[in-house]
Amino acid sequence: ALPGSAATGPGRPDAVGRPETKTPAQRVFIKITAAAENARLLEKLKALLELHPGPVGTVLFYESTGKLLALTERYNIKPSPSLFREMEQMLGPDTVKVK
């Protein structure tokens, strides 16, 4: 791996320089492409989120309008590679990011 490549994630030091252990503002962004914008798929996504409760807020990004929609705490999740894989199988590659 390249030096620092693991440090390009959400916890990297920035101008604020917060330690990595204190990142309460971290959220999971889920891109909803035009193809994924249908009620049945969004219901499936919400059901999946509810199966993985945790501390991290979830935000939907609607690609077609550029709008962000922060979901209620009911849909806060515990991020995991398997959860992200399931979401990306549902919504497409590169649709889930932690920031």
Side-chain angles (χ1 to χ4, degrees), residues 52-87:
H52 299 270
V56 181
T58 308
V59 179
L60 301 184
F61 169 68
Y62 286 87
E63 193 175 46
S64 61
T65 60
K67 287 200 165 49
L68 289 172
L69 175 67
L71 298 181
T72 64
E73 286 183 10
R74 175 180 172 185
Y75 300 106
N76 284 8
I77 59 171
K78 180 175 195 250
S80 71
S82 61
L83 173 60
F84 287 6
R85 207 170 24 254
E86 273 190 81
M87 288 194 284

Side-chain angles (χ1 to χ4, degrees), residues 2-99:
L2 295 172
S5 63
T8 56
R12 73 182 182 279
D14 53 21
V16 181
R18 280 194 312 242
E20 199 163 339
T21 52
K22 301 246 179 180
T23 52
Q26 203 175 67
R27 296 184 295 175
V28 175
F29 287 79
I30 303 170
K31 180 166 62 177
I32 306 298
T33 61
E37 265 190 64
N38 72 68
R40 197 165 62 235
L41 192 59
L42 293 176
E43 287 305 315
K44 279 177 62 176
L45 174 63
K46 291 199 294 195
L48 178 62
L49 296 175
E50 286 183 299
L51 294 174
H52 299 270
V56 181
T58 308
V59 179
L60 301 184
F61 169 68
Y62 286 87
E63 193 175 46
S64 61
T65 60
K67 287 200 165 49
L68 289 172
L69 175 67
L71 298 181
T72 64
E73 286 183 10
R74 175 180 172 185
Y75 300 106
N76 284 8
I77 59 171
K78 180 175 195 250
S80 71
S82 61
L83 173 60
F84 287 6
R85 207 170 24 254
E86 273 190 81
M87 288 194 284
E88 292 197 340
Q89 282 174 349
M90 197 182 286
L91 302 167
D94 299 319
T95 51
V96 182
K97 299 266 184 289
V98 179
K99 294 187 195 176

